[in-house]
Amino acid sequence: MNASVQHFTVQRNNPAQGRWHQAALPAVGAGEVLLHVDLVSFTANNVTYAMFGERMKYWAFFPTNDAASGSIPVWGFADVVASAADGVAVGERFYGYYPMSSHLLVKPARVGPGGFLDASEHRRELPAIYNQYVRCSTDSMYRQDREAELAILRPLFATSFLLDDFLADNQDFGATRVLLSSASSKTAYGTAACLAARGGVEVVGLTSPSNAGFVNALGCYSRVVTYDALASLDPSVPTVYCDFAGNAALRADIHRHCGEALTYSCSIGGTHWDHLGGGAALPGPRPVLFFAPSQAKKRAGEWGPDGLQRRLGEAWERFITQVTSGPTKWLTVATSSGQEAISKAVADVMQGRVPPNEGHVLRFGS
């Protein structure tokens, strides 16, 4: 086991600026577990965590000793390297929410066959969905040969599934068309796949001309429109806008174009993080931020946690089959290990230099 912890932190006011730190391994106290973070993903979803870090308290999960810096949360896999907690053994592997660090100290609670909840003091008031660690040996969604795809797509698809469920739960707000920006992004096309499977609405993807070919080839959109052809959309069709881009100028154009036919405007991500802006004084409905944990909590209350996981698992199997078995390769995995390579991968994703069919996983090493 490494004798030190390697941390990668970013400036909160400029997440494109990052640096590495080294610290001593923490002591493992009674009831605690030390995890070695092995394989995690870094996608536009993590850029969103950074951009909404203050507003949505993402910085609070893995606090640093510097108020100006933060650890961007990532999803992936870690192994238990030391345990003083009942029911969690050294050598076990868990899927969950981790810092961009080589190690994480947790305090397991509600330990069961499926995993545990981190009850560390600073996380107790944060959304439970981010505090759950899933035991790979009992996880129905886990496959060792698909760890990279799981790390990249599972957290994104959970948002996609819950967003589609939220729209269905509200009868699509009376719309017959759902318009998704940043249509080449993984969360957007996961949502499009769910919408297409459910049916009942036209699923329109907005994308750049350079990504139009890729988005068309996915086959989950009813129609693909480039940003410069927005005017080609019939403005009278009742429409829900799902904003995965976070581009204020684009949002304003869509609100002005659709006007009263825009029945709901939903903000999910910020892939265009350098063009984020508010939604005040726009025609039509005020944009509302979609917070996936709220829908998850609602459905867990209605269906039970097992019922929610069963439905998510069924939708995931349909989706991952499309991703891995279709005529077009939806995802190519790029793996980076070592500080220099990880720093470059993070910068590439932050600056939008990653092709839409590429997904990055980071390995922190042994």
Side-chain angles (χ1 to χ4, degrees), residues 183-196:
S184 65
S185 71
K186 297 167 183 64
T187 313
Y189 69 62
T191 305
C194 290
L195 287 163

Side-chain angles (χ1 to χ4, degrees), residues 60-362:
F61 285 92
F62 310 111
T64 67
N65 58 7
D66 174 15
S69 69
S71 180
I72 301 176
V74 287
W75 292 91
F77 299 91
D79 300 306
V80 178
V81 291
S83 177
D86 293 338
V88 181
V90 170
E92 289 197 277
R93 193 164 178 85
F94 288 86
Y95 167 82
Y97 203 55
Y98 296 104
M100 290 195 67
S101 302
S102 60
H103 295 79
L104 175 65
L105 188 69
V106 294
K107 190 166 188 176
R110 303 183 196 173
V111 179
F116 64 85
L117 189 76
D118 183 13
S120 297
E121 183 65 33
H122 69 279
R123 295 178 70 166
R124 289 181 183 175
E125 301 303 318
L126 298 170
I129 193 172
Y130 296 118
N131 294 336
Q132 296 171 347
Y133 290 84
V134 181
R135 200 185 304 266
C136 293
S137 61
T138 61
D139 179 15
S140 62
M141 293 174 68
Y142 178 74
R143 275 180 48 176
Q144 187 176 19
D145 63 335
R146 280 189 181 167
E147 279 196 342
E149 289 83 358
L150 280 162
I152 294 166
L153 292 173
R154 182 171 176 170
L156 306 179
F157 185 73
T159 298
S160 299
F161 169 82
L162 290 165
L163 175 57
D164 171 58
D165 179 65
F166 169 75
L167 295 177
D169 200 18
N170 288 279
Q171 295 77 48
D172 296 310
F173 295 93
T176 57
R177 177 173 67 194
V178 178
L179 185 63
L180 298 88
S181 65
S182 200
S184 65
S185 71
K186 297 167 183 64
T187 313
Y189 69 62
T191 305
C194 290
L195 287 163
R198 175 162 63 88
V201 292
E202 182 188 20
V203 185
V204 179
L206 281 174
T207 191
S208 64
S210 61
N211 288 336
F214 170 76
V215 177
N216 265 305
L218 294 172
C220 55
Y221 290 97
S222 311
R223 181 181 173 192
V224 177
V225 177
T226 55
Y227 293 124
D228 56 2
L230 176 64
S232 67
L233 290 173
D234 183 348
S236 67
V237 175
T239 298
V240 166
Y241 176 44
C242 294
D243 180 8
F244 294 91
N247 186 312
L250 173 63
R251 185 188 307 120
D253 286 345
I254 289 167
H255 275 248
R256 284 192 289 265
H257 181 71
C258 294
E260 294 182 359
L262 191 64
T263 65
Y264 192 76
S265 182
C266 183
S267 176
I268 302 98
T271 58
H272 298 175
W273 64 270
D274 51 344
H275 292 97
L276 291 173
L282 291 176
R286 185 177 180 85
V288 178
L289 182 66
F290 175 70
F291 190 51
S294 296
Q295 185 69 10
K297 182 177 181 180
K298 178 179 186 293
R299 287 309 200 188
E302 295 169 349
W303 299 336
D306 291 342
L308 173 59
Q309 287 304 312
R310 178 177 56 80
R311 287 170 171 82
L312 175 59
E314 291 169 354
W316 166 261
E317 284 302 319
R318 290 193 298 269
F319 176 64
I320 198 64
T321 299
Q322 289 177 285
V323 170
T324 58
S325 304
T328 299
K329 195 169 181 63
W330 288 30
L331 180 68
T332 299
V333 176
T335 304
S336 302
S337 59
Q339 293 186 4
E340 184 176 347
I342 288 173
S343 297
K344 182 180 185 305
V346 169
D348 286 345
V349 174
M350 281 280 184
Q351 300 298 331
R353 296 193 293 260
V354 176
N357 67 326
E358 192 170 280
H360 278 265
V361 294
L362 316 175

Side-chain angles (χ1 to χ4, degrees), residues 5-10 18-23 65-66 69 339:
V5 180
Q6 309 299 316
H7 298 287
F8 182 81
T9 63
V10 299
R19 59 191 291 259
W20 288 91
H21 311 262
Q22 183 172 303
N65 58 7
D66 174 15
S69 69
Q339 293 186 4

